[in-house]
Amino acid sequence: MSDPLVDPAATPDELAFEGALRPTTLADFVGQPKVKGQLAVLLQAARLQDRAPDHILLAGPPGLGKTTLATIIGNETGRPIRYSSGPAIQHAGDLAAVLSALVPGEVLFIDEIHRMSRSAEEMLYLAMEDFRIDIMVGKGAGAASIPLELAPFTLVGATTRSGMLPAPLRDRFGFTAHLEFYETDDLELVLRRSSRLMELGIEPAALAELAGRSRGTPRIANRLLRRVRDWLLVHAGSSDLEGVRAALELYDVDEAGLDRIDRAVLHAIAHRFSGGPVGLSTLAAAVGEEADTIESVVEPFLVREGLIGRTPRGRIATPSGMRHVRADSQDATLDGV
């Protein structure tokens, strides 16, 4: 039941598409003004002191620009950047191989850093603080620890679950940036830039409609823009407001930005569980989706919009959520008439 418009696991084609649209400097990066200002000061201070910037942790929901900001940090410092991810580092030896290959001043980006193995995390503590690691050689009574000096580097970690990071690792980051959902005005700027790069002429009112249905997330805004472009190409339609609405209706994105999974979760809480409360695992089984996807992708937006709430006993549908369900049910009835 996973929806490609909001699924955080992007396909290679989608990654290539998003990579072409990604800004390469802080000046071109749209939104997150507080984080941009903080990063600008941090990077400028490092340049003035001719040193590697402090380690940086980027925290926030998927699709808000953590990977883009990591790339920008590498560009702004003029240093090479190496990409890795927490799931790919499951042994201390994996991390040792990556760290020992770094050149002085290099930026190491680890996406989903909270998913690293515990042994790798413990090795990272010493690497971040003293730029060295201890490698065990031999076994049993003859085992010995050999220190290996590392080149000074900047670690940029990205996480959608900052609470899952061990405190010793979280405290070793010199700066933590908390990325927030985007306002509609900022998403319009993102879409305007993307449509210009795609050489796609869309009216301002249509861009505003797209921005309003993008769940406060630039990645989703760009994917919706790509779907609209496909619809306009196939149907030879007009890139005005009505054309965009027709495309979004086809892809099941309603006026509030809720897609199929969002509405399934909301309807399950409202109808199957009489408004809640209902536990996350029970809710996931009811809609046929992974609990992790609901918690990290669907739930933050529904909570932010005030459609569902979290309680000690589980998730509940708010009065606004119940009204949305009733309106959605009425629209479905009218469509079926």
Side-chain angles (χ1 to χ4, degrees), residues 15-314:
L15 290 174
F17 169 73
E18 290 166 6
L21 299 181
R22 280 177 177 161
T24 57
T25 65
L26 276 177
D28 292 335
F29 188 86
V30 177
Q32 310 292 343
K34 181 174 291 187
V35 170
K36 282 173 57 178
Q38 293 167 338
L39 281 176
V41 171
L42 186 150
L43 297 177
Q44 179 66 14
R47 280 194 295 268
L48 292 175
Q49 298 174 44
D50 193 26
R51 60 172 175 81
D54 289 344
H55 304 301
I56 299 169
L57 179 65
L58 303 174
L64 297 187
K66 296 185 290 294
T67 302
T68 300
L69 281 174
T71 303
I72 288 174
I73 290 169
N75 293 337
E76 295 280 352
T77 57
R79 307 298 177 107
I81 181 168
R82 188 183 300 262
Y83 297 89
S84 187
S85 66
I89 303 175
Q90 290 304 304
H91 304 283
D94 300 333
L95 181 62
V98 173
L99 294 174
S100 61
L102 295 176
V103 300
E106 189 166 0
V107 176
L108 172 61
F109 175 60
I110 301 180
D111 197 12
E112 296 297 304
I113 192 171
H114 62 273
R115 295 176 62 186
M116 281 199 312
S117 67
R118 182 55 57 89
S119 61
E121 286 175 352
E122 292 173 352
M123 175 177 283
L124 197 54
Y125 299 160
L126 192 60
M128 294 173 68
E129 207 159 46
D130 297 331
F131 299 113
R132 71 180 179 86
I133 54 177
D134 292 331
I135 298 179
M136 295 299 298
V137 178
K139 295 182 179 181
S145 176
I146 299 178
L148 176 63
E149 298 296 324
L150 302 175
F153 68 96
T154 297
L155 174 65
V156 179
T159 178
T160 55
R161 304 281 188 84
S162 57
M164 291 181 64
L165 283 177
L169 177 58
R170 190 168 55 246
D171 293 344
R172 281 171 169 79
F173 285 97
F175 170 65
T176 299
H178 296 279
L179 276 65
E180 305 290 342
F181 284 107
Y182 279 56
E183 298 296 332
T184 302
D185 291 344
D186 287 335
L187 285 177
E188 285 187 52
L189 295 176
V190 170
L191 288 167
R192 191 176 304 161
R193 178 181 180 274
S194 298
S195 61
R196 185 174 64 250
L197 292 174
M198 295 167 61
E199 299 181 353
L200 181 63
I202 296 185
E203 295 181 359
L207 287 178
E209 184 80 9
L210 264 176
R213 301 195 192 194
S214 297
R215 301 160 56 94
T217 307
R219 178 184 295 167
I220 294 175
N222 283 327
R223 291 188 188 178
L224 288 178
L225 181 64
R226 189 181 183 184
R227 299 286 77 81
V228 167
R229 181 194 62 181
D230 294 345
W231 187 92
L232 295 174
L233 179 65
V234 171
H235 293 274
S238 172
S239 57
D240 59 8
L241 183 58
E242 292 305 316
V244 168
R245 284 177 175 171
L248 294 177
E249 182 178 357
L250 174 67
Y251 287 105
D252 216 12
V253 179
D254 68 15
E255 290 81 358
L258 274 65
D259 61 15
R260 183 181 57 179
I261 301 178
D262 298 321
R263 289 196 297 276
V265 169
L266 197 53
H267 278 259
I269 297 174
H271 293 312
R272 298 191 190 183
F273 304 103
S274 303
V278 55
L280 178 61
S281 58
T282 303
L283 181 59
V287 300
E289 187 56 80
E290 294 291 334
D292 188 62
T293 300
I294 292 176
E295 188 174 23
S296 63
V297 179
V298 177
E299 198 172 72
F301 177 67
L302 295 180
V303 171
R304 175 175 176 259
E305 293 299 301
L307 300 175
I308 68 172
R310 292 178 176 176
T311 72
R313 296 176 58 196

